[in-house]
Amino acid sequence: MSEDLVVIPLPTDSGTVTYAVAKLVTDRDGVFAEAIAAVPDTVFAPPRRIALSPRSLAQLKPGSSHRPGLYLYEGMILPPP
């Protein structure tokens, strides 16, 4: 089975919001969005991970043996300090 993917809202350097698709990673430390590729006008780029709240994940499409599951992160991701 393929890795699950998550759509996340990201704050941009110019003060707007953009969306990115990332790998959804779960390990003993929690749930994370892991960058697949650099997102322009943000600091989100491989190998960066952003911690997510599992309560803010909504499944959009279940995965199968040939397709990853797709989730939407409904929480807020704050810009870096």
Side-chain angles (χ1 to χ4, degrees):
M1 187 163 117
S2 300
E3 295 177 320
D4 289 334
L5 301 176
V6 60
V7 178
I8 57 171
L10 290 173
T12 65
D13 296 336
S14 58
T16 62
V17 174
T18 190
Y19 291 86
V21 175
K23 290 183 215 174
L24 185 60
V25 178
T26 303
D27 65 21
R28 60 181 163 71
D29 295 326
V31 179
F32 300 90
E34 185 175 276
I36 297 170
V39 179
D41 201 26
T42 73
V43 296
F44 196 58
R48 183 151 184 175
R49 282 183 169 185
I50 296 175
L52 303 176
S53 167
R55 293 185 187 112
S56 295
L57 286 170
Q59 187 177 44
L60 298 176
K61 194 166 209 167
S64 69
S65 60
H66 303 292
R67 183 184 68 232
L70 182 61
Y71 292 81
L72 173 66
Y73 186 66
E74 297 176 320
M76 174 75 78
I77 296 176
L78 300 174

